[in-house]
Amino acid sequence: MKVLVINCGSSSLKFQLINSEDESVIAKGLCERIGQEGSRLVYSPYEKDKIIIEEEMPTHKRAVELVINALTDKDTGVVESLKDVSAVGHRIVHGGERFAESVIIDNEVIKAIEECNDLAPLHNPANLIGIHACKELMPDTPMVAVFDTAFHQTMSPKAYLYGLPYEYYDKYKVRRYGFHGTSHSYVSKKTAEILGKNYEDMKTIVCHLGNGASICAVDKGKSVDTSMGLTPLEGLIMGTRAGSIDPAIIEFIANKENKDINEVMNILNKDSGVLGMSGIGSDFRDLMTAMESGNERARLTLQAYCYQVVKYIGAYTAAMSGVDAIVFTAGVGENNGFIRKEVCSYLTYLGIEIDETANEKRGEEVIISTPDSRVKVLVVPTNEELKIAKETVECIK
Ligand code: ADP
């Protein structure tokens, strides 16, 4: 079955056409600068050269149209007609409490996603635009919504409630939701497969360390806690996001710098994290280069980053009364052996021993702990698109 996976942002649209049988990517691409000047589609059919199509995309509908044209083009296309695309899987950021699993999209589902808009005002409206555009252009193709939050809906109230007046949960559903659910679910399951264990028997901690970063405790195949909260701002220090801070800092900085709440929130989302701490950048490759050439702030930033990861691992080990496997994934987790080694250097209390040669590998599935290590440590590349395609097939079956 060929499934078109769509990840629609406010000015971008990423897509992959995936063959669900052999899990191969038939084509993928990205529409950039939708609704702006200089919009373009970067289209990569499998094993062929990348094609850049520079065309105006005033709307997401036009972007989807160009994607369909590229996929079905006589020369560069990968399918004869749209009929060959069996379903579309949409990545949706926030499903609130309503969605604990993926669902076939109908009018009622669209309305329910709209109702989650105020929980993710930057993401959900953009995701919905993608749904509407596809609905218009491919009215007969079934569509499925796959939520970033759904995997974490198994958290118990003691894990998702904040220490706030209960009425804010009652009235506004202020609680921990967690994100990267597709990734945490995919990676934790894959880990059990790699270790030849039963998923339902395992306690796993997944460290999704990318630009955005979150950690998840997965007990018997279910998310029991995760570091992101009502929004993706909570938790770890990230590329540009502050992660968890004393909330009183917001008022303190607002007063000192004469800023309003929106300005401070903007700083917490866009100017903080390793970017703000180091003053160098949000990309860990740049931080590594700076540290290696003796930049002390870069070193300190990386140390503080790892320290937070270590603290979450400790907390989640306690929450699950143990851990069988710790897994690194996403851009930093898959590629940065220094960060992995640094984090694991704290974990000897868990009987963890790292195989330095294995830890030098990047971007591939590998067990980086020694055979004697009591807790297994792995790198498992995430694949959110494949997971969305699989969920989509499951739903329409
Ligand atoms: P996003 O959250 O935007 O999907 P990614 O998962 O791509 O982010 O992670 C981005 C981070 O991953 C960057 O800081 C970058 O340093 C790191 N990264 C990505 N690819 C590589 C690579 N090949 N080698 C080293 N670091 C990488």
Side-chain angles (χ1 to χ4, degrees):
M1 209 179 263
K2 294 185 177 95
V3 179
L4 180 61
V5 175
I6 300 264
N7 181 355
C8 196
S10 56
S11 66
S12 71
L13 185 151
K14 286 190 220 150
F15 67 93
Q16 284 194 8
L17 185 65
I18 293 178
N19 181 338
S20 67
E21 271 107 44
D22 63 5
E23 305 189 349
S24 63
V25 177
I26 303 163
K28 63 179 175 181
L30 164 70
C31 301
E32 296 173 300
R33 304 180 60 84
I34 300 169
Q36 302 167 13
E37 247 173 67
S39 49
R40 62 180 204 162
L41 160 63
V42 183
Y43 169 67
S44 309
Y46 179 65
E47 282 192 334
K48 286 198 192 136
D49 287 339
K50 180 173 4 176
I51 298 161
I52 295 178
I53 300 160
E54 288 183 357
E55 268 223 40
E56 276 200 36
M57 291 179 225
T59 61
H60 285 75
K61 186 179 163 196
R62 182 65 189 143
V64 174
E65 219 161 45
L66 289 174
V67 170
I68 292 173
N69 291 348
L71 292 172
T72 53
D73 186 86
K74 234 178 347 69
D75 301 320
T76 59
V78 288
V79 288
E80 291 228 333
S81 82
L82 261 190
K83 287 203 190 78
D84 296 338
V85 176
S86 305
V88 182
H90 289 270
R91 175 197 178 209
I92 309 295
V93 167
H94 219 306
E97 286 190 330
R98 169 69 198 275
F99 297 105
E101 49 196 22
S102 305
V103 285
I104 294 184
I105 298 174
D106 58 18
N107 288 337
E108 200 201 327
V109 166
I110 290 177
K111 201 161 147 269
I113 297 173
E114 274 166 6
E115 280 163 14
C116 299
N117 275 0
D118 64 344
L119 292 170
L122 294 179
H123 295 103
N124 270 30
N127 301 157
L128 280 161
I129 290 172
I131 292 179
H132 287 299
C134 289
K135 208 168 161 233
E136 264 187 67
L137 295 163
M138 328 166 65
D140 301 324
T141 313
M143 298 201 291
V144 171
V146 182
F147 300 90
D148 266 23
T149 49
F151 182 59
H152 303 299
Q153 279 298 301
T154 46
M155 282 189 293
S156 67
K158 68 181 176 197
Y160 70 64
L161 283 177
Y162 289 115
L164 291 169
Y166 194 79
E167 63 180 287
Y168 298 146
Y169 171 63
D170 258 352
K171 281 201 282 193
Y172 312 120
K173 296 288 168 226
V174 173
R175 50 161 283 181
R176 175 181 313 287
Y177 289 95
F179 298 85
H180 293 140
T182 321
S183 175
H184 289 302
S185 158
Y186 174 84
V187 168
S188 55
K189 204 166 200 174
K190 194 92 193 167
T191 298
E193 271 170 43
I194 295 169
L195 294 175
K197 294 245 176 85
N198 193 344
Y199 191 36
E200 277 71 36
D201 292 337
M202 281 196 73
K203 298 174 200 275
T204 307
I205 296 175
V206 180
C207 307
H208 178 113
L209 311 179
N211 227 335
S214 71
I215 302 200
C216 180
V218 186
D219 194 358
K220 303 187 182 78
K222 295 199 162 70
S223 168
V224 291
D225 207 344
T226 190
S227 58
M228 282 178 169
L230 174 76
T231 75
L233 182 55
E234 194 184 342
L236 298 170
I237 297 170
M238 306 181 212
T240 65
R241 286 176 229 153
S244 295
I245 57 165
D246 178 348
I249 293 171
I250 295 172
E251 185 197 26
F252 187 87
I253 296 295
N255 288 338
K256 290 281 183 199
E257 297 267 316
N258 198 21
K259 292 192 187 305
D260 65 23
I261 201 161
N262 287 331
E263 289 171 312
V264 179
M265 291 314 292
N266 212 29
I267 292 168
L268 296 184
N269 272 302
K270 300 202 171 130
D271 301 332
S272 300
V274 296
L275 164 71
M277 290 176 81
S278 68
I280 293 165
S282 63
D283 194 303
F284 280 70
R285 285 166 283 202
D286 300 333
L287 292 178
M288 293 298 296
T289 309
M291 181 187 69
E292 280 153 14
S293 60
N295 185 307
E296 265 317 300
R297 263 218 353 242
R299 178 182 305 280
L300 183 59
T301 300
L302 291 166
Q303 279 174 349
Y305 178 88
C306 292
Y307 185 65
Q308 295 298 328
V309 175
V310 167
K311 289 211 294 186
Y312 271 104
I313 291 173
Y316 290 167
T317 303
M320 294 192 288
S321 293
V323 58
D324 300 309
I326 296 171
V327 201
F328 292 93
T329 193
V332 177
E334 290 165 26
N335 293 293
N336 195 316
F338 170 83
I339 299 270
R340 296 192 298 250
K341 188 174 161 194
E342 187 73 10
V343 168
C344 291
S345 71
Y346 288 84
L347 305 179
T348 48
Y349 73 96
L350 290 172
I352 284 179
E353 267 181 66
I354 292 303
D355 174 342
E356 304 244 346
T357 315
N359 187 44
E360 278 166 21
K361 297 197 175 157
R362 4 166 93 209
E364 57 180 289
E365 276 172 20
V366 55
I367 300 176
I368 60 168
S369 51
T370 62
D372 289 342
S373 184
R374 212 160 5 107
V375 175
K376 303 296 167 210
V377 185
L378 296 88
V379 175
V380 176
T382 192
N383 193 339
E384 288 161 284
E385 291 79 11
L386 174 61
K387 176 77 180 166
I388 292 172
K390 286 177 152 185
E391 295 264 321
T392 301
V393 172
E394 275 304 304
C395 267
I396 63 164
K397 249 206 242 165

